[in-house]
């Protein structure tokens, strides 16, 4: 689904739709934008654990496992490509830990989508968002976001309303899904058209 926002809107939508009071969350921080994910998560009522490494390095999945200490965890969030440094994180180890903890895996691909290989389904990413103006080289303010069936189930089974009306993904899913209900806000139609016209194809940037 496209959002009407910057890439940071993808961070906010991912976290506000998944976290409620009583939930446990782990955010991996290795730069300014993964720090922003932690900051946004901290504004939810969930208990958020920060797993941090020095700038320019990557978090070890074993450190995430240790931080969880066996507790059921709602989400693990990290950046595949940290926008501030360009450091690339391999995702397979985090998926394994997420499975052990019953967690959704949230991946920031703002600086990596269309720049490095990323297969959301094969790597079993539950929520993945990107920016429209980075490696994919499209107009700003139309970031894509995708959610797994497991994430959608979490959205629809919330005990409380999503604390943001604008970033409530259930309304967006109702619009883009089979129900085709009225959109939650006006879409950037010119941006959507440009995104479609710049989709990867023969002779185009992958």
């Amino acid at each position: 689904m496209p959002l009407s926002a910057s890439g940071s809107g993808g961070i906010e939508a991912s976290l506000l739709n998944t976290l409620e009071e009583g939930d446990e969350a782990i955010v991996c921080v290795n730069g300014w934008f993964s720090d922003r994910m932690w900051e946004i998560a901290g504004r939810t009522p969930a208990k958020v654990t920060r797993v941090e490494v020095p700038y320019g390095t990557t978090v070890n999945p074993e450190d995430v496992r240790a931080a969880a200490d066996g507790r059921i965890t709602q989400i693990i969030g990290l950046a595949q490509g940290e926008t501030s440094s360009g450091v690339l994180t391999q995702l397979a180890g985090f998926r394994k830990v997420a499975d052990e903890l019953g967690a959704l895996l949230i991946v920031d691909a703002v600086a990596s989508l269309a720049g490095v290989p990323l297969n959301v389904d094969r790597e079993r990413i539950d929520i993945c968002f990107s920016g429209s103006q980075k490696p994919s080289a499209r107009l700003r303010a139309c970031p894509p976001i995708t959610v797994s069936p497991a994430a959608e189930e979490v959205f629809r089974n919330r005990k409380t309303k999503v604390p943001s009306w604008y970033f409530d993904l259930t309304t967006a899913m109702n619009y883009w899904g089979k129900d085709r209900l009225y959109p939650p806000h006006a879409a950037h139609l010119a941006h959507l058209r440009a995104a479609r016209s710049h989709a990867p194809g023969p002779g185009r940037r992958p």
Side-chain angles (χ1 to χ4, degrees):
M1 301 176 286
L3 297 174
S4 299
S6 68
S8 294
I11 305 176
E12 191 149 327
S14 299
L15 297 171
L16 295 185
N17 281 268
T18 52
L19 295 177
E20 296 185 85
E21 187 172 1
D23 289 337
E24 298 263 357
I26 297 175
V27 177
C28 304
V29 177
N30 66 330
W32 298 336
F33 285 85
S34 48
D35 179 74
R36 183 174 298 180
M37 182 183 285
W38 174 80
E39 171 70 25
I40 293 171
R43 299 188 182 200
T44 74
K47 179 183 177 182
V48 184
T49 299
R50 177 185 179 106
V51 178
E52 185 174 10
V53 294
Y55 181 83
T57 63
T58 59
V59 173
N60 188 323
E62 293 301 321
D63 292 337
V64 175
R65 180 182 282 111
D69 195 24
R71 297 187 301 273
I72 297 298
T73 302
Q74 182 77 332
I75 69 104
I76 296 172
L78 70 150
Q80 184 201 28
E82 167 54 54
T83 301
S84 64
S85 66
V87 168
L88 184 67
T89 294
Q90 301 301 319
L91 303 176
F94 295 94
R95 178 68 266 175
K96 183 178 180 181
V97 174
D99 287 341
E100 293 173 7
L101 302 175
L104 299 175
L105 184 62
I106 298 178
V107 173
D108 174 342
V110 169
S112 54
L113 182 69
V116 298
L118 175 64
N119 190 308
V120 172
D121 291 335
R122 186 167 61 228
E123 299 186 87
R124 297 173 50 234
I125 301 169
D126 291 295
I127 305 177
C128 186
F129 58 89
S130 187
S132 52
Q133 80 281 13
K134 294 282 174 52
S136 53
R138 298 175 294 168
L139 293 175
R140 290 176 174 270
C142 192
I145 187 168
T146 183
V147 303
S148 70
E152 184 175 348
E153 184 177 358
V154 168
F155 300 167
R156 298 200 184 279
N157 291 329
R158 288 180 60 94
K159 302 180 186 70
T160 59
K161 287 185 177 182
V162 176
S164 169
W165 178 88
Y166 190 86
F167 286 121
D168 185 341
L169 290 179
T170 59
T171 57
M173 289 189 297
N174 289 337
Y175 173 66
W176 290 104
K178 61 182 177 62
D179 295 327
R180 305 299 290 174
L181 297 181
Y182 191 77
H185 46 76
H188 295 300
L189 297 181
H191 288 63
L192 294 175
R193 190 173 183 86
R196 184 179 179 86
S197 68
H198 284 81
R204 293 178 178 165
R205 184 175 180 172

